[in-house]
Amino acid sequence: MKIKATDKVNYPPRWKDYEANVPSGLPHMGFGKDTTVGDVNRFGARYRAAKSFKHADFAVLSDSTAHGYTALIKLQLCYSAFEHLLGCLGWSQKDSEGAIPAGEQDRVMEKLRGIEGHEKFFGAAADHLGGDKGFVEDYLAGKSVNPAALAGAIRHAFAHGKLTPGAGGNDGACPGCCFVLVKFLGVFMDREFVARVSKLDSSYPPE
């Protein structure tokens, strides 16, 4: 998605249009019925943090390990923004499946499975999961899985478990897998946010 020159740097596309029309325009955007301007602003802040994060800097780790941690941290930040957006929409993670365009999920699966060592990486993540484990096991069994569910599982295994960049001897698959999921989450968030603000173009034109 192209960013217009009038967009605020590292905020979701059309963020300035959103800001120019709240609070009065919020009910016309199609967010959840209980969503407040503060809720959407918190999503914007999380999105901005994720978008602005470039890399982690460590004193003694190897370049490959640092790159792996960069990817895991980036995924964690992106998933946090994604969770906030779902809350603003009044959706669960399962609800997000219906918003994924036809074929996109399978394309993400193909990209992930094209990364050498992806089975070892996701297998290592599964070893540190509870409720989210089923999504990863389905992926490893060759099924098509909501990429957001995989992203959430990796985030959980990293933030609350023992997942590290080299877990399972994954042959360097960690960064590639994480960045595929980061891309998916970013596109999803941009598309859904723009869809909400675009409702103003017809139903609530700016004054």
Side-chain angles (χ1 to χ4, degrees):
M1 181 172 296
K2 294 182 178 179
I3 304 299
K4 298 186 295 184
T6 55
D7 285 337
K8 292 185 71 172
V9 176
N10 289 348
Y11 275 91
R14 298 201 64 178
W15 188 260
K16 280 191 173 182
D17 292 333
Y18 157 77
E19 287 187 320
N21 288 282
V22 293
S24 59
L26 188 66
H28 301 272
M29 297 185 196
F31 288 107
K33 62 182 180 65
D34 297 322
T35 297
T36 67
V37 172
D39 293 329
V40 181
N41 287 348
R42 279 186 285 275
F43 157 67
R46 292 296 178 101
Y47 180 103
R48 186 188 188 201
K51 194 85 169 181
S52 299
F53 178 74
K54 296 303 181 184
H55 62 84
D57 187 16
F58 299 97
V60 296
L61 298 184
S62 68
D63 289 345
S64 61
T65 300
H67 187 47
Y69 274 113
T70 289
L72 287 166
I73 295 169
K74 181 84 169 180
L75 180 60
Q76 182 173 349
L77 291 170
C78 284
Y79 192 81
S80 176
F82 171 77
E83 277 190 317
H84 273 67
L85 178 60
L86 291 188
C88 291
L89 296 172
W91 290 1
S92 67
Q93 186 184 89
K94 186 172 179 58
D95 293 327
S96 70
E97 294 179 14
I100 301 174
E104 183 173 332
Q105 179 168 304
D106 289 338
R107 287 192 291 272
V108 174
M109 295 297 103
E110 184 177 357
K111 289 179 180 178
L112 288 172
R113 292 184 174 121
I115 297 172
E116 184 179 355
H118 72 98
E119 307 101 321
K120 294 179 180 178
F121 175 65
F122 282 101
D127 290 338
H128 306 299
L129 292 170
D132 293 333
K133 189 173 183 177
F135 297 116
V136 179
E137 290 178 334
D138 285 346
Y139 168 81
L140 292 171
K143 298 178 182 179
S144 185
V145 181
N146 181 353
L150 288 180
I154 296 302
R155 187 285 306 263
H156 186 87
F158 172 56
H160 304 292
K162 301 177 182 178
L163 185 66
T164 60
N170 64 71
D171 304 317
C174 171
C177 291
C178 287
F179 286 129
V180 167
L181 295 172
V182 163
K183 176 70 173 179
F184 167 81
L185 293 175
V187 170
F188 183 99
M189 290 188 286
D190 287 354
R191 182 173 58 236
E192 292 302 320
F193 187 79
V194 167
R196 298 306 174 283
V197 179
S198 294
K199 292 178 183 293
L200 296 172
D201 296 339
S202 55
S203 65
Y204 191 79
E207 297 179 357

